[in-house]
């Protein structure tokens, strides 16, 4: 029976325990309910559970939801889950991310920020577990990014660039509410600075077709995937996440 076959981790832990005449097992987890729901016959069902208080630098639900939830967590309409066009909330997240990339590139070149600035910034788009869906979102983002690059590069049409700039202003104002030392909008959003953003941003799918990311290739990454971007995968410099999942 394949279902009854122990997992590799289970088998290795059991082998380690068997090396000793006596042993105790301490399980440390962020999801204690998983252990409590183990079958009574499971040798790793805990005899007791002790809750541990989070350290001062821990970033969890209290910080992300209670303290700064209005800024960090944005609701999206249910229709964004199965949209036939690029969802507006994804466009908004994309704009916010590009502004953070511009800010990050400026900070890396200034002594007052350089020490605490992460090596890179990333955006994760996790809309579905299906590879075909990842391709659709990749196409949307790539098309939006190409339009962005064209407007920035076209120095003959200042009116269009200024219109484009106005579209990004509300997202800068949202960031400025939470980041008091952010650079001025004109420093972030000018042709020279945005040319650096474009050159140093890579868009990539991460799924069963391609899981490796060459992080050193770019400063900024937009990663699109599903299960491969879920638990156990570290997105370096994660700054913006856009994720949809049905309830249940």
């Amino acid at each position: 029976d394949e279902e009854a076959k122990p997992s590799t981790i289970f088998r290795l832990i059991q082998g380690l325990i068997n090396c000793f005449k006596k042993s105790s097992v301490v399980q440390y987890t962020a999801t204690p309910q998983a252990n409590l729901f183990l079958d009574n016959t499971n040798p790793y069902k805990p005899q007791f559970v002790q809750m541990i208080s989070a350290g001062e630098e821990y970033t969890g639900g209290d910080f992300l939801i209670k303290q700064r939830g209005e800024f960090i967590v944005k609701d999206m309409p249910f229709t964004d889950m199965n949209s036939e066009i690029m969802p507006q909330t994804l466009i908004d997240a994309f704009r916010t991310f590009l502004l953070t990339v511009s800010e990050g590139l400026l900070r890396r070149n200034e002594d007052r920020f350089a020490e605490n600035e992460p090596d890179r910034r990333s955006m994760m788009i996790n809309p579905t577990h299906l590879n075909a869906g990842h391709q659709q979102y990749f196409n949307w983002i790539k098309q939006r990014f190409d339009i962005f690059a064209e407007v920035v590069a076209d120095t003959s049409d200042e009116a269009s660039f200024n219109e484009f700039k106005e579209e990004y202003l509300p997202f800068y104002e949202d960031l400025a509410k939470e980041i008091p030392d952010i650079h001025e909008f004109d420093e972030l959003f000018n042709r020279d600075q945005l040319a650096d953003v474009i050159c140093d941003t890579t868009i990539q799918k991460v799924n069963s077709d391609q899981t490796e990311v060459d992080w050193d290739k770019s400063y900024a990454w937009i990663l699109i995937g599903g299960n491969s971007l879920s638990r156990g995968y570290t997105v370096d410099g994660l700054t913006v996440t856009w994720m949809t999942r049905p309830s249940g």
Side-chain angles (χ1 to χ4, degrees):
D1 186 353
E2 194 65 28
E3 291 187 3
K5 186 178 179 180
S7 67
T8 300
I9 293 176
F10 186 99
R11 177 171 49 79
L12 292 174
I13 292 175
Q14 191 61 51
L16 181 62
I17 290 174
N18 291 339
C19 292
F20 304 94
K21 293 182 178 179
K22 294 183 178 181
S23 63
S24 296
V25 178
V26 177
Q27 302 178 71
Y28 183 87
T29 176
T31 54
Q33 65 273 19
N35 293 333
L36 291 173
F37 288 143
L38 289 173
D39 188 273
N40 287 329
T41 60
N42 192 304
Y44 301 114
K45 184 177 180 66
Q47 295 177 325
F48 67 92
V49 172
Q50 175 67 47
M51 300 298 294
I52 301 175
S53 299
E56 292 182 1
E57 297 184 6
Y58 176 76
T59 302
D62 183 70
F63 175 81
L64 296 173
I65 306 299
K66 291 184 179 180
Q67 297 181 33
R68 301 179 68 190
E70 186 175 342
F71 169 68
I72 293 176
V73 181
K74 308 290 186 183
D75 292 331
M76 65 176 68
F78 184 78
T79 52
D80 280 7
M81 288 180 52
N82 298 299
S83 179
E84 295 183 358
I85 60 174
M86 186 173 180
Q88 184 60 48
T89 53
L90 180 55
I91 296 173
D92 295 348
F94 173 78
R95 289 171 174 164
T96 298
F97 177 66
L98 292 184
L99 288 172
T100 67
V101 174
S102 183
E103 174 68 15
L105 288 172
L106 286 174
R107 286 175 177 246
R108 289 207 306 175
N109 296 321
E110 298 181 17
D111 291 340
R112 63 190 177 119
F113 295 119
E115 184 177 345
N116 296 318
E117 182 61 22
D119 291 336
R120 59 192 47 83
R121 292 180 183 268
S122 299
M123 177 179 182
M124 181 177 73
I125 300 172
N126 193 325
T128 175
H129 67 284
L130 300 174
N131 287 9
H134 304 159
Q135 184 62 51
Q136 176 63 76
Y137 279 84
F138 177 89
N139 293 341
W140 281 336
I141 288 292
K142 185 67 167 60
Q143 182 181 42
R144 178 70 52 168
F145 188 80
D146 289 346
I147 292 172
F148 179 83
E150 288 174 10
V151 172
V152 171
D154 187 2
T155 57
S156 66
D157 191 353
E158 202 63 28
S160 293
F161 180 78
N162 288 333
E163 281 183 29
F164 207 59
K165 189 174 181 178
E166 287 298 313
E167 294 177 356
Y168 279 76
L169 181 58
F171 303 99
Y172 170 82
E173 293 173 340
D174 192 38
L175 289 170
K177 292 176 185 177
E178 291 289 325
I179 309 171
D181 57 359
I182 193 172
H183 287 78
E184 294 296 325
F185 184 49
D186 286 342
E187 295 180 85
L188 295 185
F189 210 97
N190 61 74
R191 292 186 190 277
D192 289 340
Q193 179 62 19
L194 295 179
D196 290 341
V197 171
I198 293 163
C199 290
D200 225 346
T201 300
T202 299
I203 305 167
Q204 180 180 317
K205 291 176 292 179
V206 179
N207 53 33
S208 56
D209 293 336
Q210 182 178 7
T211 58
E212 296 298 322
V213 176
D214 184 5
W215 292 108
D216 293 333
K217 177 182 176 181
S218 293
Y219 168 70
W221 289 83
I222 300 177
L223 303 179
I224 303 159
N227 292 339
S228 294
L229 289 176
S230 297
R231 288 181 299 175
Y233 190 93
T234 300
V235 178
D236 199 0
L238 182 60
T239 306
V240 174
T241 299
W242 189 89
M243 182 174 184
T244 62
R245 281 294 184 274
S247 60

